[in-house]
Amino acid sequence: MKKVGVLALQGDFAAHQAALERAGAQAVLVREAGQLSNLDGLVIPGGESTTMLKLLHYDNLMEPLAQFAREKPVFGTCAGAILLARHVSNPAQESLGIMDIDVERNAYGRQLESRVAVIEPEPEFRALTGPEALEAVFIRAPIIRRTGPKTRVMARYGDAPVLVEENQYMVATFHPELTADSRVHSLFLRKL
Ligand code: GLN
């Protein structure tokens, strides 16, 4: 069984742990660098990216995470997507810069702080995981404003990409761990 870490400094890491286990992986909560050494992949959950950044520095995890991502698959959701992006705006903040995407934080505005949308995934996603629509929970979500030449868009909401992958990396601006559908986590587990 594949062993996946869930960064557990802040945010909804417990829901990711449960979702990964539903999808058939062993999921362990990661709080220090030493735990990264025997993992097949890592999930960075949603939460508050500014707080997560502070804790990553405080716990000396920035460099170990960047090092881990050079070799292993990483999946970031919402705040996790913000941490993986190359450039972050609204306001600008530091990130790990692992994926060739730019994101704008809290970009759906206040009236749309949180919503559940039904989205039709792109053919690439459906080919891998089945034809059903995807329920996407957005909570003060970022918008992906730019994707790089190697980024594949797996689902969109309106015009904006909301699930994208690039090499061994994947990000979602919504929260797949909050619905019973484990196809998004399964998609990530295929990279391990
Ligand atoms: N608004 C948060 C941020 O900017 C992300 C929200 C989330 O992860 N649900 O970091």
Side-chain angles (χ1 to χ4, degrees):
M1 193 188 274
K2 295 293 183 183
K3 193 168 171 185
V4 183
V6 183
L7 188 68
L9 303 179
Q10 191 265 342
D12 73 335
F13 48 83
H16 269 291
Q17 185 179 35
L20 285 163
E21 284 174 355
R22 278 201 304 278
Q26 184 191 350
V28 296
L29 300 181
V30 172
R31 296 200 167 91
E32 46 189 78
Q35 293 176 278
L36 292 168
S37 57
N38 60 352
L39 298 175
D40 299 305
L42 182 74
V43 171
I44 304 183
E48 195 54 49
S49 56
T50 313
T51 309
M52 257 187 243
L53 265 176
K54 280 187 193 139
L55 295 170
L56 283 170
H57 281 291
Y58 185 79
D59 292 328
N60 290 315
L61 274 163
M62 288 296 278
E63 183 48 37
L65 278 193
Q67 176 65 42
F68 180 86
R70 264 171 230 137
E71 289 152 24
K72 300 273 178 73
V74 181
F75 175 29
T77 57
C78 208
I82 295 168
L83 291 176
L84 292 184
R86 180 132 322 148
H87 294 112
V88 179
S89 59
N90 192 35
Q93 81 185 8
E94 185 190 9
S95 59
L96 291 161
I98 284 163
M99 267 189 85
D100 190 14
I101 59 170
D102 296 346
V103 302
E104 181 185 335
R105 294 178 60 202
N106 302 316
Y108 290 96
R110 298 209 78 168
Q111 73 278 26
L112 220 142
E113 289 220 319
S114 163
R115 76 147 41 187
V116 183
V118 176
I119 56 178
E120 296 293 334
E122 299 294 306
E124 289 90 334
F125 180 94
R126 285 187 263 138
L128 292 168
T129 69
E132 299 83 10
L134 195 61
E135 216 178 24
V137 181
F138 293 95
I139 304 169
R140 305 210 315 121
I143 288 185
I144 298 173
R145 292 292 186 198
R146 183 193 65 83
T147 56
K150 290 193 187 150
T151 313
R152 281 211 300 178
V153 178
M154 305 301 267
R156 292 175 199 273
Y157 175 50
D159 291 337
V162 295
L163 177 66
V164 304
E165 56 172 43
E166 180 188 321
N167 303 324
Q168 75 267 39
Y169 313 122
M170 190 164 100
V171 304
T173 59
F174 59 97
H175 288 264
E177 73 285 7
L178 297 181
T179 52
D181 185 344
S182 47
R183 284 179 296 158
V184 174
H185 285 86
S186 300
L187 196 67
F188 177 61
L189 295 179
R190 293 176 83 261
K191 296 182 175 298
L192 271 51

